[in-house]
Amino acid sequence: MAHLPEDFGGIVPPLSTPFTPSFEVDVASLERLIEFQLAAGVHGIFVLGSTGEAAFLTDQQRATVIEVAVRTVGGQVPVLAGIFDMTTARVVEHAQTARRLGADALVLTAPFYTRISQSEISEHFWLVHVAVDLPLFAYDIPSAVSTKIARETMLRLAEDGVIRGIKDSSGDEANFRALLLALGGRADFSLFTGSELLVDAALLFGANGCVPGLGNIDPAGYMRLYQAAQAGDWQLARREQERLFRLFDIVSVGLPRMGIGSSAMGGFKTALKLRGVIATNITGRPSIQLNAEEVERVRQALITANLL
Amino acid sequence: MAHLPEDFGGIVPPLSTPFTPSFEVDVASLERLIEFQLAAGVHGIFVLGSTGEAAFLTDQQRATVIEVAVRTVGGQVPVLAGIFDMTTARVVEHAQTARRLGADALVLTAPFYTRISQSEISEHFWLVHVAVDLPLFAYDIPSAVSTKIARETMLRLAEDGVIRGIKDSSGDEANFRALLLALGGRADFSLFTGSELLVDAALLFGANGCVPGLGNIDPAGYMRLYQAAQAGDWQLARREQERLFRLFDIVSVGLPRMGIGSSAMGGFKTALKLRGVIATNITGRPSIQLNAEEVERVRQALITANLL
Amino acid sequence: MAHLPEDFGGIVPPLSTPFTPSFEVDVASLERLIEFQLAAGVHGIFVLGSTGEAAFLTDQQRATVIEVAVRTVGGQVPVLAGIFDMTTARVVEHAQTARRLGADALVLTAPFYTRISQSEISEHFWLVHVAVDLPLFAYDIPSAVSTKIARETMLRLAEDGVIRGIKDSSGDEANFRALLLALGGRADFSLFTGSELLVDAALLFGANGCVPGLGNIDPAGYMRLYQAAQAGDWQLARREQERLFRLFDIVSVGLPRMGIGSSAMGGFKTALKLRGVIATNITGRPSIQLNAEEVERVRQALITANLL
Amino acid sequence: MAHLPEDFGGIVPPLSTPFTPSFEVDVASLERLIEFQLAAGVHGIFVLGSTGEAAFLTDQQRATVIEVAVRTVGGQVPVLAGIFDMTTARVVEHAQTARRLGADALVLTAPFYTRISQSEISEHFWLVHVAVDLPLFAYDIPSAVSTKIARETMLRLAEDGVIRGIKDSSGDEANFRALLLALGGRADFSLFTGSELLVDAALLFGANGCVPGLGNIDPAGYMRLYQAAQAGDWQLARREQERLFRLFDIVSVGLPRMGIGSSAMGGFKTALKLRGVIATNITGRPSIQLNAEEVERVRQALITANLL
């Protein structure tokens, strides 16, 4: 177990969850993926996020992922775990499991399925905070949960010490910047952007780091981008980001044959397989799988990005 | 276990899940609620729906609800069980549990949290159909899951025998009617509306029945409405519907202090408590609870509707 | 000029605006369309609605349409005119023109393009009411203007005598029914549904009438539906509605080659041309025009509906 | 008339339209506002944009604004004019008027009110391009017109020479960056961001300039931001942007008493009045007007931003 450093920041990829052909967690592949990330020097790993297909895993499979991650990381960097579910009682169960298995911090969204008010979102975070003694990151992702965590809600949760950081995947960069202006000066609070195509901008604004799905495939690229920004070399940061931006096209390789979710997960997993990190590019059911032509387009994109 | 009658239809209320003060399932209250429904002559019961706060229950609590329902109903009418979760693997687990515990049919939505295509929605229903040998009802509720099950998807699933019926809570009455025009003639397929304020209309169009949340409180009212429609007495059906329409105002008793979800569930549970059916009006966390003034407004509404 | 009868109701089709090949108003065709409607016995006509492609007409062309309508109708039934524009000053100009040209009542939406509050919607209706001495109908069509006129706003405008009726094209039948329950008893207030596929239901609920785009093509069908409902013969009303429901498929004849707007307008105009009422099926720019195969499908639909 | 420079870029504020107490264009105030902008050294001015309340002006008033702008600017910088309306015929009329009155370039949105396809959006731009011999800027603002101009549509219109630039107010910075990556290298094409809170980021990405509503009040601030970015001093650019970011709070001064539109326009106009540039802070009908307390909060914000 690695306590979060007070100034926790940097590149924290949301790891894909590799599958076996029978849709079980491919433990050996997951271990290789984690080693691949650690070798690149990432500042933490985030398992069971949206990119990790948490929505597609049974509770047992989720537990396996955390176990493998905690064991493989071995305290070198913090392990963050997603505890996504509809409402409080279910989320608390996931939180307690993740804590027992050794996660260092937890990431949770607003409740979903049910239509919820901001005061109830706040209550949800409070109840999880009280129930489990681990740092919480609020994950704002209205595209998945249909509700935005309002700026005022975020700020109050941060002030009250209920959350220790934010992962912003809302796509609303102006609001993220407003959060940074209000909270960015706090030494013990970490704001991560999930906008993996605008990381140079987010770092210019003062973000502590990024949680890039594309970082699964090219953690070294995101590390270079981060280090350039740290060094104030914004043109270098921009060039690295632009290379990664173009590579990101692989997320739409399966459209419109399938949803954007399975296309993106399929694109990431295919790239990881082609780079020799994981064994299959299978995505969780009921996702449609990429076909040979789509796989070939991912291969070409990797070659263009100097990753193959 | 009660096999579904071929011409399954009528009033099938989606039962509330009563809670104890410690947020556990209140078994005695649930038993009383079921007896109350059976006494009114309902044609089936549906547990673990949106009104049943399935989103707020742990897996263990969901199992308790099914057990109590199957035992209390004792085969008098079919017991339908919701198996709501994000994607296939998780839903199949719920389906297998529900089957083992004796549910007669299963109700499932499109996948959620992830952004999904129509072909993947179709695949989802197919995989659940193959995994568990029980009749499936497709539950169209875009307000909860963000995705509409398209008309073409529904029709193909019906034609292929993957689903045995539909519960339409989409609010898109024209599309529901299109489904009725296409499928309403089939003897072995049941179309239920979840639009509890427009039941007379749905029955006029040819719907087989209704799944009214408000039926928790006044199953006898919905039975009279159904019987009037069966008898072709549309003015009587309309009058009954209008009385119930006005009563439905209790769903907004908590607005805007809380979300519409907790306001509605709180309104229903308060009415059930005031009518002496269940012991508390507690709703699932993180819902805000109704206050004394709001409870009083529910009481007045019940008096106006001749239910107290 | 025909004053609105106090109990104004019935079938009031929103007339298509026929075009010449150079995209001008085809006056002779418009006259024939109006005669065709009057011959069927409609209770009023509504020009410059969404179906009338008001959004596609210059101010001059709009004036031509009103002039032709007022002259051709000759006071036999009321002529309602749409005065759609973004905000008050522009709408008032349209209102004054329509009044000068002899319209009997005006139909207006919530402001659009700008993001507006309910109190500003209310102010908008008040300002138009004060500026022009004609009965106003509030047209609720969030699919076009992005804003719903809230129930409370509607009820207050009705109570205050600012509006004299409602055209509901919101697709939210439960809310329309709530308006009917609150206002339906008033002798001098008229509630029209724009949900042309659910007219039997709306009349069962107590609506005063319908504004059916499909009524352009088959006003006699809607008249039979209305008369059956008036006579309490709901099964006959339903059968007529179901025939019209199936005919309505022509609105999607151009999908997905074009938008639903141009597909629907193209379908209506093609049917009117095939029935010999208007000279071309041209729709307003930048709409894509139907091709020969799509025209053929409209022809087949007309044959199936016994209209050719 | 000032021909657009090939490398047109920089700060091009979308000018407010000052009103007299009787809701007419306040010509003297508009002249002062333009002089104020020119004195700050802006690279162009944009009249009749969303901030210019084009939606609230009659055609006559719109003409007045262009006349005043063209006369006052006197060819010192380009004058861009908005030609917002629902569809092609109406937009072409505005375009022809603007050309006749001396505008240097035109800014237009996707069609609105009607539901339109991408191919029809493309057709719309083509038809306006053919009808009027002036450079066109495509204005992507789905919050106003409900439709996004898709990336592919934009790229094809740019390639075909139909549009000469883009104003992106979509809030989708990743998509804007994709447009920049595809088009940013072209010397004769200009990409402007409307995201006035993220200008440093947009310039880092390679945007040619910005169209900041807030630039009405503090054009000198945006000029400093632009010049810092041109000089590669990103920390200075950021600090200037952060000061302007905080000042931007004045857009919500009227919430929730009114809509965000009238609150923002009221905030801008109040600031302009307090700075002595325009005579009243009146916004177009049916907007609610700011009250004394709200005006006072704008004054405090100006003091904090060192503008009073």
Side-chain angles (χ1 to χ4, degrees):
Chain A
M1 194 159 170
H3 287 299
L4 289 188
E6 194 181 81
D7 64 342
F8 184 52
I11 301 301
V12 182
L15 296 197
S16 289
T17 304
F19 286 132
T20 68
S22 56
F23 298 97
E24 293 300 332
V25 177
D26 177 346
V27 171
S29 287
L30 180 54
E31 287 168 349
R32 281 198 304 275
L33 175 56
I34 294 168
E35 298 290 3
F36 174 66
Q37 297 291 328
L38 294 174
V42 299
H43 302 85
I45 65 166
F46 169 33
V47 294
L48 302 179
S50 304
T51 302
E53 292 179 279
F56 294 83
L57 301 175
T58 63
D59 288 359
Q60 175 107 46
Q61 292 172 329
R62 290 186 180 195
T64 298
V65 168
I66 299 177
E67 280 167 359
V68 171
V70 168
R71 172 166 46 76
T72 308
V73 168
Q76 300 176 62
V77 298
V79 174
L80 287 70
I83 51 173
F84 306 167
D85 216 317
M86 295 173 242
T87 63
T88 309
R90 298 181 68 85
V91 170
V92 165
E93 285 197 347
H94 295 302
Q96 288 166 337
T97 301
R99 194 195 191 299
R100 184 171 47 77
L101 297 174
D104 299 303
L106 304 176
V107 181
L108 70 165
T109 69
F112 48 95
Y113 190 90
T114 183
R115 283 179 288 170
I116 208 90
S117 65
Q118 291 295 321
S119 52
E120 289 162 326
I121 291 174
S122 190
E123 175 75 0
H124 178 64
F125 280 92
W126 265 105
L127 288 166
V128 178
H129 170 64
V130 167
V132 61
D133 179 29
L134 273 185
L136 299 183
F137 285 78
Y139 183 12
D140 190 28
I141 183 163
S143 66
V145 304
S146 298
T147 310
K148 178 153 189 70
I149 307 176
R151 194 186 305 176
E152 298 70 31
T153 306
M154 278 290 198
L155 293 180
R156 200 157 323 121
L157 290 171
E159 268 172 41
D160 292 346
V162 175
I163 58 175
R164 191 256 177 263
I166 290 169
K167 186 204 163 187
D168 186 283
S169 294
S170 69
D172 183 348
E173 309 307 327
N175 187 62
F176 181 58
R177 191 168 196 171
L179 294 171
L180 279 165
L181 280 175
L183 296 169
R186 272 183 47 182
D188 58 343
F189 195 86
S190 305
L191 292 115
F192 288 86
T193 181
S195 294
E196 55 207 311
L197 303 180
L198 305 168
V199 181
D200 46 356
L203 295 171
L204 176 60
F205 301 160
N208 300 90
C210 178
V211 181
L214 191 60
N216 278 281
I217 299 164
D218 191 9
Y222 276 100
M223 286 300 295
R224 285 191 298 273
L225 164 49
Y226 180 72
Q227 285 154 356
Q230 293 289 97
D233 187 344
W234 296 104
Q235 290 308 324
L236 179 58
R238 175 186 168 185
R239 278 199 304 277
E240 195 63 50
Q241 177 68 86
E242 290 186 351
R243 185 184 60 81
L244 291 162
F245 197 112
R246 291 194 174 92
L247 176 59
F248 192 72
D249 273 356
I250 60 171
V251 304
S252 47
V253 73
L255 298 181
R257 267 207 327 129
M258 60 192 73
I260 179 63
S262 32
S263 174
M265 297 311 107
F268 288 166
K269 286 184 160 179
T270 297
L272 282 170
K273 182 184 174 201
L274 291 170
R275 297 203 75 192
V277 181
I278 69 174
T280 81
N281 68 346
I282 294 169
T283 52
R285 291 186 293 184
S287 299
I288 290 173
Q289 307 296 324
L290 296 194
N291 62 27
E293 184 221 336
E294 289 154 356
V295 166
E296 179 54 29
R297 283 165 56 201
V298 174
R299 185 194 309 272
Q300 292 305 322
L302 288 174
I303 291 170
T304 302
N306 296 316
L307 294 174
L308 215 65
Chain B
M1 193 158 169
H3 286 300
L4 289 188
E6 194 181 80
D7 64 341
F8 183 52
I11 301 302
V12 181
L15 295 198
S16 289
T17 304
F19 286 132
T20 68
S22 56
F23 297 97
E24 294 299 332
V25 177
D26 177 346
V27 170
S29 286
L30 180 55
E31 288 168 349
R32 281 198 304 275
L33 174 56
I34 294 168
E35 298 290 2
F36 174 65
Q37 296 291 329
L38 294 173
V42 298
H43 301 85
I45 65 165
F46 170 33
V47 294
L48 302 178
S50 304
T51 303
E53 292 180 280
F56 295 83
L57 301 175
T58 64
D59 288 358
Q60 176 108 43
Q61 291 171 328
R62 289 187 181 195
T64 299
V65 168
I66 299 177
E67 280 167 359
V68 171
V70 168
R71 172 167 46 78
T72 309
V73 168
Q76 299 176 63
V77 297
V79 175
L80 286 69
I83 52 172
F84 306 167
D85 217 317
M86 297 173 240
T87 63
T88 310
R90 297 180 69 84
V91 169
V92 165
E93 285 196 347
H94 296 302
Q96 288 166 338
T97 302
R99 194 196 191 296
R100 183 171 46 77
L101 297 174
D104 299 303
L106 304 176
V107 182
L108 71 166
T109 69
F112 48 94
Y113 190 90
T114 184
R115 283 179 288 171
I116 207 90
S117 64
Q118 291 295 320
S119 52
E120 290 163 326
I121 293 174
S122 189
E123 176 75 359
H124 178 65
F125 281 93
W126 265 105
L127 288 166
V128 178
H129 171 63
V130 167
V132 61
D133 180 30
L134 274 184
L136 299 183
F137 285 77
Y139 183 12
D140 191 29
I141 183 163
S143 66
V145 302
S146 297
T147 311
K148 177 152 189 72
I149 306 176
R151 195 187 303 176
E152 299 69 29
T153 305
M154 278 291 200
L155 293 179
R156 200 156 325 120
L157 290 170
E159 268 171 41
D160 292 346
V162 174
I163 57 175
R164 191 255 177 263
I166 290 168
K167 186 202 165 187
D168 186 283
S169 294
S170 68
D172 182 348
E173 309 306 327
N175 187 63
F176 181 58
R177 191 168 196 172
L179 293 171
L180 279 165
L181 281 175
L183 296 168
R186 271 183 48 180
D188 58 345
F189 196 87
S190 304
L191 293 115
F192 287 86
T193 181
S195 295
E196 57 207 310
L197 303 180
L198 305 167
V199 181
D200 46 356
L203 295 171
L204 176 61
F205 302 160
N208 300 90
C210 178
V211 180
L214 191 61
N216 277 282
I217 300 164
D218 190 9
Y222 276 100
M223 287 300 295
R224 284 193 298 272
L225 164 49
Y226 180 72
Q227 285 154 358
Q230 293 289 97
D233 188 344
W234 297 103
Q235 290 308 323
L236 180 56
R238 174 186 170 184
R239 278 200 302 278
E240 195 64 48
Q241 178 67 86
E242 291 185 350
R243 186 184 58 83
L244 291 162
F245 197 112
R246 291 193 173 92
L247 176 59
F248 191 73
D249 273 355
I250 59 171
V251 303
S252 46
V253 73
L255 298 181
R257 268 207 324 129
M258 60 192 73
I260 179 63
S262 33
S263 175
M265 297 312 107
F268 288 165
K269 285 183 161 180
T270 299
L272 282 170
K273 182 183 174 202
L274 291 169
R275 297 203 75 192
V277 181
I278 67 174
T280 80
N281 68 346
I282 294 170
T283 52
R285 292 187 292 185
S287 301
I288 292 173
Q289 307 296 324
L290 296 193
N291 62 28
E293 183 221 337
E294 290 154 355
V295 166
E296 179 55 29
R297 283 165 57 202
V298 174
R299 186 194 310 273
Q300 292 304 323
L302 288 173
I303 290 169
T304 302
N306 296 316
L307 294 174
L308 215 64
Chain C
M1 193 159 169
H3 287 300
L4 288 189
E6 193 180 83
D7 64 342
F8 184 51
I11 302 301
V12 182
L15 294 198
S16 288
T17 303
F19 287 131
T20 68
S22 56
F23 297 97
E24 293 300 332
V25 177
D26 178 346
V27 171
S29 286
L30 179 55
E31 288 168 349
R32 281 198 302 275
L33 175 56
I34 294 168
E35 299 290 3
F36 174 66
Q37 296 291 328
L38 294 174
V42 298
H43 301 86
I45 65 165
F46 170 32
V47 295
L48 302 178
S50 304
T51 301
E53 293 179 281
F56 295 83
L57 301 175
T58 63
D59 288 359
Q60 176 106 44
Q61 291 172 329
R62 290 187 181 194
T64 299
V65 168
I66 299 176
E67 280 168 359
V68 172
V70 168
R71 173 167 45 78
T72 309
V73 168
Q76 301 176 62
V77 296
V79 174
L80 287 69
I83 51 172
F84 306 167
D85 218 317
M86 296 173 240
T87 63
T88 309
R90 298 180 68 85
V91 170
V92 165
E93 285 197 346
H94 296 302
Q96 287 166 338
T97 301
R99 193 195 191 297
R100 183 171 47 76
L101 296 174
D104 300 303
L106 304 176
V107 181
L108 70 166
T109 69
F112 48 95
Y113 190 90
T114 184
R115 284 179 287 170
I116 207 90
S117 65
Q118 290 296 319
S119 52
E120 289 163 325
I121 292 174
S122 190
E123 176 75 359
H124 178 65
F125 280 93
W126 265 104
L127 288 166
V128 178
H129 171 64
V130 167
V132 61
D133 179 30
L134 274 185
L136 300 182
F137 285 78
Y139 183 12
D140 190 29
I141 183 163
S143 67
V145 303
S146 298
T147 311
K148 178 154 189 70
I149 307 175
R151 195 187 303 177
E152 298 69 29
T153 306
M154 279 290 200
L155 294 179
R156 201 158 324 121
L157 290 170
E159 269 171 40
D160 292 346
V162 175
I163 58 175
R164 190 256 177 265
I166 291 168
K167 185 202 165 189
D168 186 284
S169 294
S170 68
D172 183 348
E173 309 307 326
N175 187 63
F176 181 59
R177 190 167 195 172
L179 293 171
L180 278 165
L181 281 174
L183 296 168
R186 272 183 46 180
D188 58 344
F189 196 87
S190 304
L191 292 115
F192 288 86
T193 181
S195 295
E196 56 207 313
L197 303 180
L198 305 167
V199 181
D200 46 355
L203 295 171
L204 175 60
F205 302 160
N208 299 90
C210 178
V211 181
L214 192 61
N216 278 281
I217 299 164
D218 191 9
Y222 277 100
M223 287 299 296
R224 285 193 297 273
L225 164 48
Y226 181 71
Q227 285 154 356
Q230 293 288 98
D233 187 344
W234 296 103
Q235 289 308 323
L236 179 56
R238 173 187 169 184
R239 278 200 302 278
E240 196 62 50
Q241 177 67 85
E242 291 186 350
R243 185 184 59 82
L244 291 162
F245 197 112
R246 291 192 174 92
L247 176 59
F248 191 72
D249 273 355
I250 61 171
V251 303
S252 47
V253 73
L255 299 181
R257 267 207 325 130
M258 61 191 75
I260 180 63
S262 34
S263 174
M265 297 311 108
F268 288 165
K269 285 184 162 179
T270 298
L272 282 170
K273 183 184 173 200
L274 291 170
R275 298 202 75 191
V277 182
I278 69 175
T280 80
N281 68 346
I282 293 169
T283 52
R285 290 186 294 182
S287 300
I288 291 173
Q289 307 297 323
L290 295 194
N291 62 27
E293 183 220 338
E294 290 154 356
V295 166
E296 180 56 28
R297 283 164 57 200
V298 174
R299 186 195 308 274
Q300 292 304 323
L302 288 173
I303 292 170
T304 302
N306 296 317
L307 294 174
L308 215 64
Chain D
M1 193 159 168
H3 286 299
L4 289 188
E6 194 181 81
D7 64 341
F8 183 52
I11 302 301
V12 182
L15 296 197
S16 289
T17 304
F19 286 132
T20 68
S22 57
F23 298 96
E24 293 300 332
V25 177
D26 177 346
V27 170
S29 287
L30 180 54
E31 288 168 349
R32 281 199 303 275
L33 174 56
I34 294 168
E35 298 290 3
F36 174 65
Q37 296 291 328
L38 294 173
V42 299
H43 301 85
I45 65 165
F46 170 33
V47 294
L48 302 178
S50 304
T51 303
E53 293 180 279
F56 294 83
L57 301 174
T58 64
D59 287 358
Q60 175 107 46
Q61 291 172 328
R62 290 186 180 195
T64 299
V65 168
I66 299 177
E67 280 167 359
V68 172
V70 168
R71 172 167 46 77
T72 309
V73 168
Q76 301 175 62
V77 297
V79 174
L80 287 70
I83 52 172
F84 306 167
D85 216 317
M86 296 172 240
T87 63
T88 309
R90 297 179 69 83
V91 169
V92 165
E93 285 196 346
H94 297 301
Q96 287 166 338
T97 301
R99 193 195 191 299
R100 184 172 46 78
L101 297 174
D104 300 303
L106 304 176
V107 183
L108 70 166
T109 69
F112 48 94
Y113 190 90
T114 183
R115 284 178 288 171
I116 207 89
S117 66
Q118 291 294 321
S119 52
E120 289 163 326
I121 292 173
S122 189
E123 176 75 0
H124 178 66
F125 280 93
W126 265 104
L127 289 166
V128 178
H129 171 64
V130 167
V132 62
D133 180 29
L134 273 184
L136 300 182
F137 286 77
Y139 184 11
D140 191 29
I141 183 164
S143 66
V145 303
S146 297
T147 311
K148 177 155 190 69
I149 306 177
R151 195 187 304 176
E152 299 69 30
T153 306
M154 278 290 198
L155 294 180
R156 201 157 324 122
L157 290 170
E159 267 171 41
D160 292 346
V162 175
I163 57 175
R164 191 254 177 266
I166 291 168
K167 186 203 164 188
D168 187 283
S169 294
S170 69
D172 182 349
E173 309 306 327
N175 187 62
F176 181 58
R177 190 169 196 171
L179 293 172
L180 278 166
L181 281 175
L183 296 169
R186 272 182 48 181
D188 58 343
F189 196 86
S190 305
L191 292 116
F192 287 86
T193 181
S195 295
E196 57 207 312
L197 303 180
L198 304 168
V199 181
D200 46 356
L203 295 171
L204 176 61
F205 302 160
N208 299 90
C210 178
V211 182
L214 191 61
N216 277 282
I217 300 163
D218 191 10
Y222 276 100
M223 286 300 296
R224 284 192 298 272
L225 164 49
Y226 180 71
Q227 286 154 356
Q230 292 289 97
D233 188 344
W234 297 104
Q235 289 308 324
L236 179 58
R238 174 186 169 184
R239 278 199 303 278
E240 195 62 49
Q241 177 66 86
E242 290 185 352
R243 186 185 58 83
L244 291 161
F245 197 111
R246 291 194 174 91
L247 176 59
F248 192 72
D249 273 355
I250 60 171
V251 303
S252 47
V253 73
L255 299 182
R257 265 207 326 129
M258 59 192 74
I260 178 65
S262 34
S263 174
M265 297 311 107
F268 288 165
K269 286 183 160 179
T270 298
L272 282 170
K273 183 183 174 202
L274 291 170
R275 297 203 73 193
V277 181
I278 69 174
T280 81
N281 68 348
I282 294 170
T283 52
R285 291 186 293 184
S287 300
I288 291 173
Q289 308 296 325
L290 296 194
N291 62 28
E293 183 221 336
E294 290 153 355
V295 166
E296 179 54 28
R297 284 165 55 201
V298 174
R299 186 195 309 272
Q300 292 304 323
L302 288 173
I303 291 169
T304 302
N306 296 316
L307 295 174
L308 214 64

